[in-house]
Amino acid sequence: MEKIFNNTQVAFALKSDTELDRAYFLFKMIDNQPLVRIGTAVTNFAIKANLPVEGLIRATVFDHFCGGVNENDCLSVVDKMYTKGVSSVLDYSVEGKEEEEQFDAALEMTLKTIEFAKERQAIPFAVFKPTGLGRLDLYEKIGEKQTLTPEEKAEWDRVVARFDFVCGEAHKKNVALLIDAEESWMQEAADELVTDMMRKYNKEKAIVFNTLQMYRWDRLVYLKRLHQEAIKEGFYIGMKLVRGAYMEKENERAIEKGYPTPICESKEATDKNYDAAVLYMIENLDMMSIFAGTHNEESSYTLMKLMLERGIKNNDDRIWFGQLYGMSDNISYNLAAHGYNVAKYLPFGPVKDVMPYLIRRAEENTSVAGQTSRELSMIKAERNRRKGK
Ligand SMILES: Cc1cc2nc3c(=O)[nH]c(=O)nc-3n(C[C@H](O)[C@H](O)[C@H](O)COP(=O)(O)OP(=O)(O)OC[C@H]3O[C@@H](n4cnc5c(N)ncnc54)[C@H](O)[C@@H]3O)c2cc1C
């Protein structure tokens, strides 16, 4: 496969010299593990103590990884990226809420983003997180088949109703809807619910997309089983494939509670598992749509190669590549330049509510071997290219 991801001129065409310098400075900071640890602790404390740190956060991590504090803020970024063929997925990244009003607010926000997506070609998907619409502990209880109190039963009915409403609106408006995956101990209940939504709304094509975290060794078998159900019952499968963002938490909990970790035994095993799922979905594209959410260049090349070998058009509407805003522009923009479908998650929300997302990005860029150095080397190469070095 032709290697296209090293073209930094294409990757950073939208970044001014100053923006490039800021990105360089940011990734340099994130590269420093102790600094990220201290920075995270100090920031969390400062926010809780209501210290005026929002300006600082905005000027650094927030503006690099987020589109703004509300959905309208994001539109200028959406339009700008789309001039280069890169689409957006508006991601309301408020996390860890527990109250019914907050779930209803997240529901409203998701409906708004579905409406935005309906009106704009540059926004091909809407997205939400299961714990945005219901309590994590409740998903866990359902997954473990625990007996619910009447109050909990009513609470779960409301979660189901929220899912059904959002998916129904997406179906009515013909907007594909991604549903994120989270911790394994809440995921079983979410999977059942999302599969029900696929049964109901994916009769003509994939509108509802679940997410498979391929760092879990059981997910390929899960995908194959789901495929059999889909054949039997006659629905399309929409699936976002990711490696998974909660590895440390998963391993810690498994040790603490004394059960085998759901995570693959090594990074290589996760990589293999990811690529095997990509292959399986491409082999069954007649019934499946795939959103490959990854910053991994090899997995992206693997998918491109499979498409080429099978004579699948670069812009086949059943295949999307996805990256997060602020990361791996070399993949996103070069894919778009070659005519592939590509969308970046564009997170938004009030600064303090988006902090868990930002901390995950900072930690991921610190702990994931290679990600920061990849970003830094690309930025460095582009700075040198612009200086004529
Ligand atoms: C568009 C998009 C949407 C996303 N949506 C979700 C989502 O809904 N849910 C979610 O959980 N994450 C989501 N993510 C994050 C994703 O799961 C990864 O954390 C992130 O993309 C890094 O993985 P990678 O494929 O980009 O590449 P890489 O940098 O090649 O892989 C890093 C990943 O490999 C895995 N890994 C690392 N070390 C080991 C090890 N020792 N053993 C086993 N596995 C290991 C981990 O999953 C780690 O994150 C999303 C990412 C993108 C780009």
Side-chain angles (χ1 to χ4, degrees):
M1 196 65 223
E2 186 201 349
K3 301 286 176 199
I4 61 169
F5 298 142
N6 290 336
N7 186 331
T8 59
Q9 185 172 8
V10 169
F12 298 113
L14 292 177
K15 285 226 184 306
S16 67
D17 290 349
T18 319
E19 284 166 335
L20 207 58
D21 288 345
R22 195 185 67 184
Y24 182 77
F25 173 69
L26 183 71
F27 279 107
K28 267 278 186 214
M29 278 199 320
I30 288 177
D31 204 20
N32 183 327
Q33 266 198 39
L35 192 66
V36 169
R37 269 207 199 105
I38 296 164
T40 304
V42 171
T43 310
N44 276 336
F45 170 79
I47 285 179
K48 281 198 189 106
N50 276 327
L51 296 176
V53 286
E54 283 205 12
L56 182 66
I57 297 169
R58 278 212 76 157
T60 53
V61 277
F62 186 89
D63 281 351
H64 184 84
F65 289 111
C66 299
V69 294
N70 60 48
E71 65 284 9
N72 289 311
D73 276 0
C74 296
L75 290 181
S76 59
V77 181
V78 170
D79 290 341
K80 197 171 159 189
M81 292 204 292
Y82 202 57
T83 60
K84 300 291 177 194
V86 174
S87 301
S88 300
V89 183
L90 295 191
D91 177 19
Y92 181 57
S93 297
V94 173
E95 297 182 13
K97 300 291 181 191
E98 297 272 301
E99 310 289 331
E100 291 292 299
E101 305 85 70
Q102 293 164 330
F103 300 142
D104 288 334
L107 170 79
E108 286 305 318
M109 190 51 86
T110 311
L111 293 174
K112 226 184 224 180
T113 56
I114 291 173
E115 193 57 38
F116 266 52
K118 183 184 140 230
E119 287 163 6
R120 290 172 186 82
Q121 241 190 338
I123 309 180
F125 295 88
V127 65
F128 73 89
K129 271 197 163 26
T131 57
L133 301 189
R135 262 188 322 120
L136 191 145
D137 291 353
L138 188 60
Y139 284 102
E140 187 179 351
K141 267 193 150 174
I142 301 271
E144 289 173 348
K145 316 263 183 279
Q146 289 186 37
T147 313
L148 302 184
T149 64
E151 291 75 29
E152 286 170 336
K153 172 86 183 53
E155 190 186 344
W156 182 247
D157 288 346
R158 287 195 295 275
V159 178
V160 175
R162 288 188 193 105
F163 266 70
D164 193 42
F165 193 63
V166 173
C167 295
E169 284 299 301
H171 179 255
K172 227 187 281 167
K173 298 191 166 134
N174 195 24
V175 170
L177 178 61
L178 304 169
I179 303 178
D180 284 345
E182 302 173 80
E183 293 87 345
S184 60
W185 52 98
M186 59 68 61
Q187 196 57 43
E188 197 167 321
D191 285 340
E192 276 182 28
L193 195 43
V194 179
T195 305
D196 277 346
M197 297 298 121
M198 284 198 210
R199 279 191 188 100
K200 193 162 172 189
Y201 297 112
N202 287 7
K203 289 209 167 83
E204 305 94 23
K205 63 172 188 174
I207 287 283
V208 176
F209 283 61
N210 202 357
T211 299
L212 289 183
Q213 296 156 309
M214 298 312 297
Y215 64 11
R216 285 181 58 176
W217 45 259
D218 65 351
R219 294 292 84 179
L220 190 57
V221 172
Y222 174 87
L223 175 63
K224 290 179 180 173
R225 215 174 43 228
L226 181 67
H227 184 203
Q228 292 315 311
E229 276 175 45
I231 292 171
K232 219 163 46 202
E233 298 175 39
F235 63 90
Y236 288 86
I237 293 176
M239 203 54 90
K240 168 156 62 91
L241 294 180
V242 300
R243 280 182 169 71
Y246 305 88
M247 187 176 73
E248 278 91 6
K249 231 176 169 182
E250 292 282 356
N251 284 331
E252 274 164 25
R253 187 176 190 267
I255 291 171
E256 196 187 299
K257 303 216 170 213
Y259 61 83
T261 177
I263 305 297
C264 291
E265 61 186 13
S266 63
K267 171 71 164 68
E268 291 67 37
T270 296
D271 291 347
K272 255 199 191 152
N273 209 29
Y274 188 93
D275 291 348
V278 169
L279 174 63
Y280 189 81
M281 290 194 71
I282 292 295
E283 280 173 340
N284 295 288
L285 207 55
D286 56 326
M287 288 189 65
M288 297 188 183
S289 291
I290 172 171
F291 186 104
T294 183
H295 300 140
N296 184 297
E297 293 184 11
E298 284 316 311
S299 291
S300 306
Y301 283 130
T302 299
L303 176 50
M304 289 155 69
K305 188 158 168 272
L306 287 171
M307 291 167 72
L308 184 69
E309 284 168 359
R310 278 150 211 264
I312 300 168
K313 286 199 311 291
N314 288 6
N315 67 348
D316 188 297
D317 63 5
R318 294 164 298 181
I319 304 175
W320 281 80
F321 294 79
Q323 289 78 42
L324 305 179
Y325 182 68
M327 289 171 73
S328 296
D329 281 347
N330 64 312
I331 299 182
S332 315
Y333 286 89
N334 281 302
L335 281 172
H338 284 78
Y340 292 95
N341 296 320
V342 54
K344 286 184 97 87
Y345 262 38
L346 187 57
F348 69 93
V351 175
K352 68 174 189 332
D353 292 333
V354 174
M355 276 319 288
Y357 175 88
L358 290 175
I359 289 169
R360 238 189 357 266
R361 292 292 79 78
E363 284 175 352
E364 174 182 277
N365 278 284
T366 304
S367 65
V368 175
Q371 181 64 37
T372 301
S373 55
R374 281 205 295 267
E375 298 288 350
L376 276 172
S377 73
M378 287 291 157
I379 297 169
K380 247 193 246 170
E382 177 59 6
R383 282 165 113 202
N384 287 339
R385 193 196 62 80
R386 289 186 190 183
K387 285 180 196 146
K389 279 190 197 165

